[in-house]
Amino acid sequence: MLALRQLSRKTPTVSRAITSAISYANPEGAPSVKDSIVHLTFVDPSGARRQVPAFIGDTISDTAETHQIDLGPTSTGALFERKNSEEWLEPLYGEGCTSGYDHVLLNGNGVETAPPMNRVEERMLKAYWDTELYPESRLASMIPVTKEMDGMTVFVPDRIVDDTP
């Protein structure tokens, strides 16, 4: 603070700029990064739990990759359609799933806020996990994280062998 006073005596414009920056650094009610983060708990096949922060808007697959949680290879890039209204289906090229390796089971907070399963995701799950499908089964690359998912548990089943030559 002493250095700030000495600087303000020499240059009054710098003083105003610095003090205004200090006073506006964190005004009450301003959004912060903490407002866009929720916590998800991943449970691996051995039962080990790991709670990690997730950014709202990222997919569950992105969150797992960020925290080095292995869900298997994630492959996106297929055609995907979002239903915006009864008459309007918007094609979203490059956002659909192309494999079913990133299978997870969702449980707890915010499961109901996940978008409904589309036919491509359903087809991929049946093609890769036919004998191990549950009502909670989803592809991690297709589920965006929402604020309501804070505290949700994501179960990671045993992986399909995908690294054999």
Side-chain angles (χ1 to χ4, degrees):
M1 203 61 172
L2 179 62
L4 181 62
R5 284 190 204 130
Q6 289 174 348
L7 183 62
S8 65
R9 285 187 209 136
K10 295 177 184 174
T11 54
T13 17
V14 171
S15 167
R16 278 180 283 176
I18 291 174
T19 55
S20 65
I22 292 170
S23 63
Y24 292 115
N26 194 6
E28 287 297 318
S32 70
V33 174
K34 195 172 183 178
D35 296 333
S36 62
I37 294 178
V38 297
H39 290 87
L40 303 178
T41 301
F42 285 86
V43 181
D44 69 13
S46 69
R49 293 176 171 268
R50 185 168 169 200
Q51 186 177 30
V52 298
F55 285 106
I56 295 172
D58 278 359
T59 63
I60 291 176
S61 178
D62 294 336
T63 301
E65 185 177 335
T66 300
H67 298 288
Q68 299 175 347
I69 297 170
D70 189 17
L71 298 181
T74 301
S75 179
T76 57
L79 175 64
F80 173 66
E81 294 177 337
R82 178 174 54 208
K83 186 175 184 176
N84 294 322
S85 70
E86 290 300 319
E87 295 84 29
W88 180 31
L89 285 176
E90 180 181 8
L92 301 171
Y93 299 99
E95 295 186 22
C97 55
T98 58
S99 74
Y101 286 113
D102 58 335
H103 174 229
V104 294
L105 301 169
L106 305 180
N107 188 15
N109 300 343
V111 172
E112 66 282 348
T113 64
M117 189 182 305
N118 61 36
R119 64 178 188 261
V120 176
E121 181 181 3
E122 187 176 355
R123 188 175 73 227
M124 290 298 161
L125 279 169
K126 284 182 180 177
Y128 286 80
W129 298 90
D130 188 38
T131 60
E132 296 181 34
L133 285 181
Y134 304 96
E136 302 85 11
S137 293
R138 297 299 300 269
L139 292 180
S141 59
M142 299 301 291
I143 308 297
V145 176
T146 63
K147 185 73 171 170
E148 294 78 19
M149 290 180 179
D150 194 20
M152 183 172 74
T153 304
V154 180
F155 292 94
V156 181
D158 281 333
R159 284 189 41 201
I160 297 173
V161 178
D162 62 338
D163 56 356
T164 56

PDB file of all heavy atoms in Angstrom, residues 108-146:
ATOM      1  N   GLY A 108     -28.543 -39.738  -9.263  1.00  0.00           N
ATOM      2  CA  GLY A 108     -28.557 -38.638  -8.307  1.00  0.00           C
ATOM      3  C   GLY A 108     -29.022 -37.319  -8.890  1.00  0.00           C
ATOM      4  O   GLY A 108     -29.832 -37.278  -9.815  1.00  0.00           O
ATOM      5  N   ASN A 109     -28.468 -36.241  -8.351  1.00  0.00           N
ATOM      6  CA  ASN A 109     -28.889 -34.886  -8.710  1.00  0.00           C
ATOM      7  C   ASN A 109     -28.774 -34.607 -10.203  1.00  0.00           C
ATOM      8  O   ASN A 109     -27.759 -34.908 -10.813  1.00  0.00           O
ATOM      9  CB  ASN A 109     -28.037 -33.853  -7.979  1.00  0.00           C
ATOM     10  CG  ASN A 109     -28.139 -33.963  -6.486  1.00  0.00           C
ATOM     11  OD1 ASN A 109     -29.056 -34.587  -5.980  1.00  0.00           O
ATOM     12  ND2 ASN A 109     -27.204 -33.359  -5.794  1.00  0.00           N
ATOM     13  N   GLY A 110     -29.789 -34.006 -10.768  1.00  0.00           N
ATOM     14  CA  GLY A 110     -29.732 -33.500 -12.126  1.00  0.00           C
ATOM     15  C   GLY A 110     -29.872 -34.507 -13.238  1.00  0.00           C
ATOM     16  O   GLY A 110     -29.747 -34.143 -14.406  1.00  0.00           O
ATOM     17  N   VAL A 111     -30.119 -35.760 -12.926  1.00  0.00           N
ATOM     18  CA  VAL A 111     -30.264 -36.763 -13.988  1.00  0.00           C
ATOM     19  C   VAL A 111     -31.406 -36.375 -14.923  1.00  0.00           C
ATOM     20  O   VAL A 111     -31.307 -36.521 -16.145  1.00  0.00           O
ATOM     21  CB  VAL A 111     -30.499 -38.167 -13.388  1.00  0.00           C
ATOM     22  CG1 VAL A 111     -30.851 -39.174 -14.459  1.00  0.00           C
ATOM     23  CG2 VAL A 111     -29.271 -38.619 -12.632  1.00  0.00           C
ATOM     24  N   GLU A 112     -32.467 -35.824 -14.371  1.00  0.00           N
ATOM     25  CA  GLU A 112     -33.622 -35.436 -15.187  1.00  0.00           C
ATOM     26  C   GLU A 112     -33.327 -34.251 -16.097  1.00  0.00           C
ATOM     27  O   GLU A 112     -34.072 -33.996 -17.039  1.00  0.00           O
ATOM     28  CB  GLU A 112     -34.838 -35.145 -14.293  1.00  0.00           C
ATOM     29  CG  GLU A 112     -34.694 -33.948 -13.384  1.00  0.00           C
ATOM     30  CD  GLU A 112     -33.845 -34.182 -12.129  1.00  0.00           C
ATOM     31  OE1 GLU A 112     -33.522 -35.332 -11.815  1.00  0.00           O
ATOM     32  OE2 GLU A 112     -33.502 -33.182 -11.486  1.00  0.00           O
ATOM     33  N   THR A 113     -32.243 -33.510 -15.853  1.00  0.00           N
ATOM     34  CA  THR A 113     -31.913 -32.372 -16.717  1.00  0.00           C
ATOM     35  C   THR A 113     -31.080 -32.784 -17.925  1.00  0.00           C
ATOM     36  O   THR A 113     -30.841 -31.965 -18.806  1.00  0.00           O
ATOM     37  CB  THR A 113     -31.151 -31.282 -15.936  1.00  0.00           C
ATOM     38  OG1 THR A 113     -29.902 -31.807 -15.490  1.00  0.00           O
ATOM     39  CG2 THR A 113     -31.971 -30.786 -14.768  1.00  0.00           C
ATOM     40  N   ALA A 114     -30.635 -34.035 -17.952  1.00  0.00           N
ATOM     41  CA  ALA A 114     -29.892 -34.517 -19.120  1.00  0.00           C
ATOM     42  C   ALA A 114     -30.832 -34.553 -20.318  1.00  0.00           C
ATOM     43  O   ALA A 114     -32.013 -34.883 -20.179  1.00  0.00           O
ATOM     44  CB  ALA A 114     -29.330 -35.910 -18.853  1.00  0.00           C
ATOM     45  N   PRO A 115     -30.331 -34.201 -21.494  1.00  0.00           N
ATOM     46  CA  PRO A 115     -31.204 -34.250 -22.670  1.00  0.00           C
ATOM     47  C   PRO A 115     -31.674 -35.672 -22.932  1.00  0.00           C
ATOM     48  O   PRO A 115     -30.972 -36.629 -22.594  1.00  0.00           O
ATOM     49  CB  PRO A 115     -30.319 -33.731 -23.807  1.00  0.00           C
ATOM     50  CG  PRO A 115     -28.927 -33.856 -23.330  1.00  0.00           C
ATOM     51  CD  PRO A 115     -28.966 -33.814 -21.834  1.00  0.00           C
ATOM     52  N   PRO A 116     -32.854 -35.833 -23.517  1.00  0.00           N
ATOM     53  CA  PRO A 116     -33.338 -37.188 -23.793  1.00  0.00           C
ATOM     54  C   PRO A 116     -32.406 -37.910 -24.767  1.00  0.00           C
ATOM     55  O   PRO A 116     -31.752 -37.292 -25.603  1.00  0.00           O
ATOM     56  CB  PRO A 116     -34.721 -36.972 -24.401  1.00  0.00           C
ATOM     57  CG  PRO A 116     -34.806 -35.536 -24.742  1.00  0.00           C
ATOM     58  CD  PRO A 116     -33.766 -34.801 -23.973  1.00  0.00           C
ATOM     59  N   MET A 117     -32.351 -39.210 -24.635  1.00  0.00           N
ATOM     60  CA  MET A 117     -31.497 -40.008 -25.502  1.00  0.00           C
ATOM     61  C   MET A 117     -32.045 -39.972 -26.930  1.00  0.00           C
ATOM     62  O   MET A 117     -33.228 -40.205 -27.147  1.00  0.00           O
ATOM     63  CB  MET A 117     -31.458 -41.457 -24.995  1.00  0.00           C
ATOM     64  CG  MET A 117     -30.444 -42.302 -25.703  1.00  0.00           C
ATOM     65  SD  MET A 117     -30.412 -44.030 -25.172  1.00  0.00           S
ATOM     66  CE  MET A 117     -30.178 -43.892 -23.429  1.00  0.00           C
ATOM     67  N   ASN A 118     -31.176 -39.657 -27.883  1.00  0.00           N
ATOM     68  CA  ASN A 118     -31.618 -39.656 -29.281  1.00  0.00           C
ATOM     69  C   ASN A 118     -31.383 -41.033 -29.886  1.00  0.00           C
ATOM     70  O   ASN A 118     -30.772 -41.904 -29.272  1.00  0.00           O
ATOM     71  CB  ASN A 118     -30.916 -38.546 -30.074  1.00  0.00           C
ATOM     72  CG  ASN A 118     -29.414 -38.712 -30.118  1.00  0.00           C
ATOM     73  OD1 ASN A 118     -28.903 -39.817 -30.185  1.00  0.00           O
ATOM     74  ND2 ASN A 118     -28.695 -37.607 -30.071  1.00  0.00           N
ATOM     75  N   ARG A 119     -31.849 -41.225 -31.094  1.00  0.00           N
ATOM     76  CA  ARG A 119     -31.782 -42.561 -31.692  1.00  0.00           C
ATOM     77  C   ARG A 119     -30.355 -42.994 -32.008  1.00  0.00           C
ATOM     78  O   ARG A 119     -30.043 -44.175 -31.959  1.00  0.00           O
ATOM     79  CB  ARG A 119     -32.666 -42.620 -32.928  1.00  0.00           C
ATOM     80  CG  ARG A 119     -32.249 -41.733 -34.052  1.00  0.00           C
ATOM     81  CD  ARG A 119     -33.153 -41.896 -35.272  1.00  0.00           C
ATOM     82  NE  ARG A 119     -32.603 -41.172 -36.385  1.00  0.00           N
ATOM     83  CZ  ARG A 119     -32.998 -39.969 -36.767  1.00  0.00           C
ATOM     84  NH1 ARG A 119     -33.969 -39.373 -36.138  1.00  0.00           N
ATOM     85  NH2 ARG A 119     -32.422 -39.366 -37.773  1.00  0.00           N
ATOM     86  N   VAL A 120     -29.460 -42.054 -32.299  1.00  0.00           N
ATOM     87  CA  VAL A 120     -28.071 -42.407 -32.591  1.00  0.00           C
ATOM     88  C   VAL A 120     -27.390 -42.918 -31.314  1.00  0.00           C
ATOM     89  O   VAL A 120     -26.704 -43.940 -31.323  1.00  0.00           O
ATOM     90  CB  VAL A 120     -27.307 -41.197 -33.175  1.00  0.00           C
ATOM     91  CG1 VAL A 120     -25.841 -41.539 -33.387  1.00  0.00           C
ATOM     92  CG2 VAL A 120     -27.940 -40.727 -34.459  1.00  0.00           C
ATOM     93  N   GLU A 121     -27.604 -42.195 -30.206  1.00  0.00           N
ATOM     94  CA  GLU A 121     -27.016 -42.628 -28.935  1.00  0.00           C
ATOM     95  C   GLU A 121     -27.569 -43.997 -28.529  1.00  0.00           C
ATOM     96  O   GLU A 121     -26.820 -44.878 -28.104  1.00  0.00           O
ATOM     97  CB  GLU A 121     -27.313 -41.593 -27.847  1.00  0.00           C
ATOM     98  CG  GLU A 121     -26.729 -41.938 -26.507  1.00  0.00           C
ATOM     99  CD  GLU A 121     -27.047 -40.921 -25.432  1.00  0.00           C
ATOM    100  OE1 GLU A 121     -27.779 -39.953 -25.688  1.00  0.00           O
ATOM    101  OE2 GLU A 121     -26.560 -41.122 -24.308  1.00  0.00           O
ATOM    102  N   GLU A 122     -28.857 -44.181 -28.690  1.00  0.00           N
ATOM    103  CA  GLU A 122     -29.480 -45.459 -28.345  1.00  0.00           C
ATOM    104  C   GLU A 122     -28.914 -46.595 -29.197  1.00  0.00           C
ATOM    105  O   GLU A 122     -28.603 -47.674 -28.705  1.00  0.00           O
ATOM    106  CB  GLU A 122     -30.992 -45.360 -28.539  1.00  0.00           C
ATOM    107  CG  GLU A 122     -31.751 -46.559 -28.067  1.00  0.00           C
ATOM    108  CD  GLU A 122     -33.257 -46.369 -28.195  1.00  0.00           C
ATOM    109  OE1 GLU A 122     -33.715 -45.277 -28.567  1.00  0.00           O
ATOM    110  OE2 GLU A 122     -33.968 -47.341 -27.918  1.00  0.00           O
ATOM    111  N   ARG A 123     -28.725 -46.329 -30.481  1.00  0.00           N
ATOM    112  CA  ARG A 123     -28.171 -47.343 -31.382  1.00  0.00           C
ATOM    113  C   ARG A 123     -26.733 -47.697 -30.993  1.00  0.00           C
ATOM    114  O   ARG A 123     -26.350 -48.866 -30.986  1.00  0.00           O
ATOM    115  CB  ARG A 123     -28.232 -46.837 -32.825  1.00  0.00           C
ATOM    116  CG  ARG A 123     -27.855 -47.901 -33.844  1.00  0.00           C
ATOM    117  CD  ARG A 123     -28.033 -47.429 -35.270  1.00  0.00           C
ATOM    118  NE  ARG A 123     -26.981 -46.480 -35.586  1.00  0.00           N
ATOM    119  CZ  ARG A 123     -27.172 -45.301 -36.182  1.00  0.00           C
ATOM    120  NH1 ARG A 123     -28.376 -44.928 -36.530  1.00  0.00           N
ATOM    121  NH2 ARG A 123     -26.168 -44.505 -36.439  1.00  0.00           N
ATOM    122  N   MET A 124     -25.931 -46.683 -30.631  1.00  0.00           N
ATOM    123  CA  MET A 124     -24.543 -46.936 -30.228  1.00  0.00           C
ATOM    124  C   MET A 124     -24.478 -47.737 -28.927  1.00  0.00           C
ATOM    125  O   MET A 124     -23.677 -48.664 -28.797  1.00  0.00           O
ATOM    126  CB  MET A 124     -23.775 -45.619 -30.052  1.00  0.00           C
ATOM    127  CG  MET A 124     -23.505 -44.904 -31.331  1.00  0.00           C
ATOM    128  SD  MET A 124     -22.462 -45.898 -32.405  1.00  0.00           S
ATOM    129  CE  MET A 124     -22.777 -45.111 -33.954  1.00  0.00           C
ATOM    130  N   LEU A 125     -25.318 -47.397 -27.974  1.00  0.00           N
ATOM    131  CA  LEU A 125     -25.328 -48.146 -26.715  1.00  0.00           C
ATOM    132  C   LEU A 125     -25.713 -49.604 -26.948  1.00  0.00           C
ATOM    133  O   LEU A 125     -25.094 -50.513 -26.393  1.00  0.00           O
ATOM    134  CB  LEU A 125     -26.294 -47.496 -25.717  1.00  0.00           C
ATOM    135  CG  LEU A 125     -25.759 -46.291 -24.971  1.00  0.00           C
ATOM    136  CD1 LEU A 125     -26.876 -45.584 -24.240  1.00  0.00           C
ATOM    137  CD2 LEU A 125     -24.650 -46.691 -24.010  1.00  0.00           C
ATOM    138  N   LYS A 126     -26.727 -49.838 -27.780  1.00  0.00           N
ATOM    139  CA  LYS A 126     -27.152 -51.218 -28.054  1.00  0.00           C
ATOM    140  C   LYS A 126     -26.086 -51.991 -28.818  1.00  0.00           C
ATOM    141  O   LYS A 126     -25.871 -53.175 -28.570  1.00  0.00           O
ATOM    142  CB  LYS A 126     -28.463 -51.218 -28.826  1.00  0.00           C
ATOM    143  CG  LYS A 126     -29.645 -50.893 -27.952  1.00  0.00           C
ATOM    144  CD  LYS A 126     -30.940 -50.942 -28.729  1.00  0.00           C
ATOM    145  CE  LYS A 126     -32.099 -50.603 -27.809  1.00  0.00           C
ATOM    146  NZ  LYS A 126     -33.373 -50.560 -28.536  1.00  0.00           N
ATOM    147  N   ALA A 127     -25.397 -51.331 -29.738  1.00  0.00           N
ATOM    148  CA  ALA A 127     -24.375 -52.006 -30.535  1.00  0.00           C
ATOM    149  C   ALA A 127     -23.167 -52.408 -29.693  1.00  0.00           C
ATOM    150  O   ALA A 127     -22.572 -53.463 -29.913  1.00  0.00           O
ATOM    151  CB  ALA A 127     -23.932 -51.105 -31.684  1.00  0.00           C
ATOM    152  N   TYR A 128     -22.791 -51.583 -28.713  1.00  0.00           N
ATOM    153  CA  TYR A 128     -21.594 -51.841 -27.928  1.00  0.00           C
ATOM    154  C   TYR A 128     -21.870 -52.516 -26.583  1.00  0.00           C
ATOM    155  O   TYR A 128     -21.036 -53.238 -26.078  1.00  0.00           O
ATOM    156  CB  TYR A 128     -20.833 -50.536 -27.671  1.00  0.00           C
ATOM    157  CG  TYR A 128     -20.111 -50.008 -28.883  1.00  0.00           C
ATOM    158  CD1 TYR A 128     -20.781 -49.308 -29.872  1.00  0.00           C
ATOM    159  CD2 TYR A 128     -18.750 -50.206 -29.035  1.00  0.00           C
ATOM    160  CE1 TYR A 128     -20.122 -48.822 -30.981  1.00  0.00           C
ATOM    161  CE2 TYR A 128     -18.074 -49.723 -30.143  1.00  0.00           C
ATOM    162  CZ  TYR A 128     -18.765 -49.033 -31.116  1.00  0.00           C
ATOM    163  OH  TYR A 128     -18.106 -48.555 -32.209  1.00  0.00           O
ATOM    164  N   TRP A 129     -23.007 -52.233 -25.956  1.00  0.00           N
ATOM    165  CA  TRP A 129     -23.259 -52.665 -24.579  1.00  0.00           C
ATOM    166  C   TRP A 129     -24.564 -53.438 -24.427  1.00  0.00           C
ATOM    167  O   TRP A 129     -25.171 -53.407 -23.363  1.00  0.00           O
ATOM    168  CB  TRP A 129     -23.321 -51.451 -23.653  1.00  0.00           C
ATOM    169  CG  TRP A 129     -22.055 -50.686 -23.594  1.00  0.00           C
ATOM    170  CD1 TRP A 129     -21.698 -49.652 -24.401  1.00  0.00           C
ATOM    171  CD2 TRP A 129     -20.970 -50.885 -22.695  1.00  0.00           C
ATOM    172  NE1 TRP A 129     -20.451 -49.193 -24.061  1.00  0.00           N
ATOM    173  CE2 TRP A 129     -19.987 -49.936 -23.017  1.00  0.00           C
ATOM    174  CE3 TRP A 129     -20.749 -51.775 -21.661  1.00  0.00           C
ATOM    175  CZ2 TRP A 129     -18.789 -49.857 -22.320  1.00  0.00           C
ATOM    176  CZ3 TRP A 129     -19.555 -51.682 -20.964  1.00  0.00           C
ATOM    177  CH2 TRP A 129     -18.588 -50.744 -21.296  1.00  0.00           C
ATOM    178  N   ASP A 130     -25.006 -54.132 -25.409  1.00  0.00           N
ATOM    179  CA  ASP A 130     -26.339 -54.744 -25.428  1.00  0.00           C
ATOM    180  C   ASP A 130     -26.674 -55.520 -24.163  1.00  0.00           C
ATOM    181  O   ASP A 130     -27.769 -55.407 -23.631  1.00  0.00           O
ATOM    182  CB  ASP A 130     -26.486 -55.640 -26.660  1.00  0.00           C
ATOM    183  CG  ASP A 130     -27.909 -56.131 -26.835  1.00  0.00           C
ATOM    184  OD1 ASP A 130     -28.835 -55.335 -26.571  1.00  0.00           O
ATOM    185  OD2 ASP A 130     -28.094 -57.289 -27.223  1.00  0.00           O
ATOM    186  N   THR A 131     -25.755 -56.299 -23.638  1.00  0.00           N
ATOM    187  CA  THR A 131     -26.062 -57.125 -22.463  1.00  0.00           C
ATOM    188  C   THR A 131     -25.926 -56.364 -21.150  1.00  0.00           C
ATOM    189  O   THR A 131     -26.331 -56.871 -20.110  1.00  0.00           O
ATOM    190  CB  THR A 131     -25.142 -58.356 -22.414  1.00  0.00           C
ATOM    191  OG1 THR A 131     -23.786 -57.908 -22.341  1.00  0.00           O
ATOM    192  CG2 THR A 131     -25.346 -59.232 -23.638  1.00  0.00           C
ATOM    193  N   GLU A 132     -25.349 -55.175 -21.167  1.00  0.00           N
ATOM    194  CA  GLU A 132     -25.112 -54.439 -19.931  1.00  0.00           C
ATOM    195  C   GLU A 132     -25.821 -53.087 -19.904  1.00  0.00           C
ATOM    196  O   GLU A 132     -25.338 -52.151 -19.275  1.00  0.00           O
ATOM    197  CB  GLU A 132     -23.618 -54.219 -19.736  1.00  0.00           C
ATOM    198  CG  GLU A 132     -22.848 -55.508 -19.551  1.00  0.00           C
ATOM    199  CD  GLU A 132     -21.373 -55.274 -19.330  1.00  0.00           C
ATOM    200  OE1 GLU A 132     -21.036 -54.256 -18.701  1.00  0.00           O
ATOM    201  OE2 GLU A 132     -20.582 -56.077 -19.797  1.00  0.00           O
ATOM    202  N   LEU A 133     -26.945 -52.960 -20.561  1.00  0.00           N
ATOM    203  CA  LEU A 133     -27.670 -51.697 -20.576  1.00  0.00           C
ATOM    204  C   LEU A 133     -28.644 -51.613 -19.406  1.00  0.00           C
ATOM    205  O   LEU A 133     -29.286 -52.600 -19.054  1.00  0.00           O
ATOM    206  CB  LEU A 133     -28.431 -51.515 -21.883  1.00  0.00           C
ATOM    207  CG  LEU A 133     -27.588 -51.154 -23.091  1.00  0.00           C
ATOM    208  CD1 LEU A 133     -28.471 -50.969 -24.311  1.00  0.00           C
ATOM    209  CD2 LEU A 133     -26.791 -49.892 -22.844  1.00  0.00           C
ATOM    210  N   TYR A 134     -28.752 -50.431 -18.843  1.00  0.00           N
ATOM    211  CA  TYR A 134     -29.641 -50.153 -17.722  1.00  0.00           C
ATOM    212  C   TYR A 134     -30.439 -48.889 -18.049  1.00  0.00           C
ATOM    213  O   TYR A 134     -30.070 -48.140 -18.953  1.00  0.00           O
ATOM    214  CB  TYR A 134     -28.830 -49.941 -16.437  1.00  0.00           C
ATOM    215  CG  TYR A 134     -27.936 -51.114 -16.122  1.00  0.00           C
ATOM    216  CD1 TYR A 134     -26.603 -51.105 -16.506  1.00  0.00           C
ATOM    217  CD2 TYR A 134     -28.433 -52.221 -15.460  1.00  0.00           C
ATOM    218  CE1 TYR A 134     -25.779 -52.186 -16.232  1.00  0.00           C
ATOM    219  CE2 TYR A 134     -27.613 -53.309 -15.183  1.00  0.00           C
ATOM    220  CZ  TYR A 134     -26.287 -53.280 -15.564  1.00  0.00           C
ATOM    221  OH  TYR A 134     -25.479 -54.349 -15.303  1.00  0.00           O
ATOM    222  N   PRO A 135     -31.504 -48.617 -17.335  1.00  0.00           N
ATOM    223  CA  PRO A 135     -32.256 -47.376 -17.590  1.00  0.00           C
ATOM    224  C   PRO A 135     -31.400 -46.117 -17.402  1.00  0.00           C
ATOM    225  O   PRO A 135     -31.659 -45.088 -18.015  1.00  0.00           O
ATOM    226  CB  PRO A 135     -33.391 -47.420 -16.563  1.00  0.00           C
ATOM    227  CG  PRO A 135     -33.546 -48.854 -16.206  1.00  0.00           C
ATOM    228  CD  PRO A 135     -32.191 -49.471 -16.352  1.00  0.00           C
ATOM    229  N   GLU A 136     -30.356 -46.211 -16.576  1.00  0.00           N
ATOM    230  CA  GLU A 136     -29.478 -45.062 -16.312  1.00  0.00           C
ATOM    231  C   GLU A 136     -28.331 -44.959 -17.311  1.00  0.00           C
ATOM    232  O   GLU A 136     -27.504 -44.064 -17.206  1.00  0.00           O
ATOM    233  CB  GLU A 136     -28.876 -45.177 -14.900  1.00  0.00           C
ATOM    234  CG  GLU A 136     -29.882 -45.251 -13.785  1.00  0.00           C
ATOM    235  CD  GLU A 136     -30.386 -46.674 -13.529  1.00  0.00           C
ATOM    236  OE1 GLU A 136     -29.810 -47.649 -14.068  1.00  0.00           O
ATOM    237  OE2 GLU A 136     -31.372 -46.803 -12.796  1.00  0.00           O
ATOM    238  N   SER A 137     -28.242 -45.861 -18.273  1.00  0.00           N
ATOM    239  CA  SER A 137     -27.144 -45.885 -19.229  1.00  0.00           C
ATOM    240  C   SER A 137     -27.193 -44.704 -20.183  1.00  0.00           C
ATOM    241  O   SER A 137     -28.240 -44.411 -20.758  1.00  0.00           O
ATOM    242  CB  SER A 137     -27.177 -47.179 -20.048  1.00  0.00           C
ATOM    243  OG  SER A 137     -26.913 -48.290 -19.245  1.00  0.00           O
ATOM    244  N   ARG A 138     -26.050 -44.061 -20.351  1.00  0.00           N
ATOM    245  CA  ARG A 138     -25.908 -42.953 -21.301  1.00  0.00           C
ATOM    246  C   ARG A 138     -24.476 -42.932 -21.807  1.00  0.00           C
ATOM    247  O   ARG A 138     -23.579 -43.551 -21.230  1.00  0.00           O
ATOM    248  CB  ARG A 138     -26.214 -41.605 -20.638  1.00  0.00           C
ATOM    249  CG  ARG A 138     -27.635 -41.438 -20.134  1.00  0.00           C
ATOM    250  CD  ARG A 138     -28.681 -41.536 -21.235  1.00  0.00           C
ATOM    251  NE  ARG A 138     -28.542 -40.535 -22.280  1.00  0.00           N
ATOM    252  CZ  ARG A 138     -29.128 -39.352 -22.301  1.00  0.00           C
ATOM    253  NH1 ARG A 138     -29.922 -39.004 -21.308  1.00  0.00           N
ATOM    254  NH2 ARG A 138     -28.957 -38.528 -23.312  1.00  0.00           N
ATOM    255  N   LEU A 139     -24.264 -42.192 -22.898  1.00  0.00           N
ATOM    256  CA  LEU A 139     -22.911 -41.957 -23.400  1.00  0.00           C
ATOM    257  C   LEU A 139     -22.432 -40.624 -22.831  1.00  0.00           C
ATOM    258  O   LEU A 139     -23.107 -39.598 -22.950  1.00  0.00           O
ATOM    259  CB  LEU A 139     -22.897 -41.918 -24.925  1.00  0.00           C
ATOM    260  CG  LEU A 139     -23.190 -43.241 -25.626  1.00  0.00           C
ATOM    261  CD1 LEU A 139     -23.144 -43.059 -27.138  1.00  0.00           C
ATOM    262  CD2 LEU A 139     -22.209 -44.314 -25.191  1.00  0.00           C
ATOM    263  N   ALA A 140     -21.265 -40.636 -22.208  1.00  0.00           N
ATOM    264  CA  ALA A 140     -20.739 -39.444 -21.537  1.00  0.00           C
ATOM    265  C   ALA A 140     -20.518 -38.281 -22.505  1.00  0.00           C
ATOM    266  O   ALA A 140     -20.621 -37.124 -22.112  1.00  0.00           O
ATOM    267  CB  ALA A 140     -19.435 -39.784 -20.823  1.00  0.00           C
ATOM    268  N   SER A 141     -20.247 -38.580 -23.762  1.00  0.00           N
ATOM    269  CA  SER A 141     -20.005 -37.516 -24.743  1.00  0.00           C
ATOM    270  C   SER A 141     -21.288 -36.801 -25.155  1.00  0.00           C
ATOM    271  O   SER A 141     -21.232 -35.765 -25.811  1.00  0.00           O
ATOM    272  CB  SER A 141     -19.317 -38.083 -25.980  1.00  0.00           C
ATOM    273  OG  SER A 141     -20.113 -39.089 -26.569  1.00  0.00           O
ATOM    274  N   MET A 142     -22.434 -37.326 -24.761  1.00  0.00           N
ATOM    275  CA  MET A 142     -23.714 -36.742 -25.164  1.00  0.00           C
ATOM    276  C   MET A 142     -24.422 -35.997 -24.035  1.00  0.00           C
ATOM    277  O   MET A 142     -25.504 -35.471 -24.223  1.00  0.00           O
ATOM    278  CB  MET A 142     -24.640 -37.842 -25.697  1.00  0.00           C
ATOM    279  CG  MET A 142     -24.102 -38.567 -26.911  1.00  0.00           C
ATOM    280  SD  MET A 142     -23.788 -37.489 -28.305  1.00  0.00           S
ATOM    281  CE  MET A 142     -25.436 -37.033 -28.744  1.00  0.00           C
ATOM    282  N   ILE A 143     -23.829 -35.935 -22.849  1.00  0.00           N
ATOM    283  CA  ILE A 143     -24.483 -35.327 -21.697  1.00  0.00           C
ATOM    284  C   ILE A 143     -23.754 -34.055 -21.290  1.00  0.00           C
ATOM    285  O   ILE A 143     -22.649 -34.107 -20.731  1.00  0.00           O
ATOM    286  CB  ILE A 143     -24.511 -36.294 -20.489  1.00  0.00           C
ATOM    287  CG1 ILE A 143     -25.094 -37.637 -20.870  1.00  0.00           C
ATOM    288  CG2 ILE A 143     -25.261 -35.671 -19.324  1.00  0.00           C
ATOM    289  CD1 ILE A 143     -26.529 -37.575 -21.322  1.00  0.00           C
ATOM    290  N   PRO A 144     -24.348 -32.881 -21.551  1.00  0.00           N
ATOM    291  CA  PRO A 144     -23.731 -31.640 -21.062  1.00  0.00           C
ATOM    292  C   PRO A 144     -24.008 -31.466 -19.566  1.00  0.00           C
ATOM    293  O   PRO A 144     -25.079 -31.815 -19.072  1.00  0.00           O
ATOM    294  CB  PRO A 144     -24.420 -30.547 -21.880  1.00  0.00           C
ATOM    295  CG  PRO A 144     -25.718 -31.138 -22.294  1.00  0.00           C
ATOM    296  CD  PRO A 144     -25.515 -32.623 -22.391  1.00  0.00           C
ATOM    297  N   VAL A 145     -23.034 -30.940 -18.865  1.00  0.00           N
ATOM    298  CA  VAL A 145     -23.166 -30.704 -17.426  1.00  0.00           C
ATOM    299  C   VAL A 145     -24.047 -29.480 -17.207  1.00  0.00           C
ATOM    300  O   VAL A 145     -23.879 -28.455 -17.857  1.00  0.00           O
ATOM    301  CB  VAL A 145     -21.776 -30.494 -16.786  1.00  0.00           C
ATOM    302  CG1 VAL A 145     -21.896 -30.141 -15.315  1.00  0.00           C
ATOM    303  CG2 VAL A 145     -20.912 -31.730 -16.973  1.00  0.00           C
ATOM    304  N   THR A 146     -25.017 -29.600 -16.281  1.00  0.00           N
ATOM    305  CA  THR A 146     -25.897 -28.482 -15.927  1.00  0.00           C
ATOM    306  C   THR A 146     -25.722 -28.147 -14.451  1.00  0.00           C
ATOM    307  O   THR A 146     -25.153 -28.928 -13.690  1.00  0.00           O
ATOM    308  CB  THR A 146     -27.378 -28.835 -16.188  1.00  0.00           C
ATOM    309  OG1 THR A 146     -27.746 -29.931 -15.343  1.00  0.00           O
ATOM    310  CG2 THR A 146     -27.621 -29.204 -17.639  1.00  0.00           C
TER     311      THR A 146
END
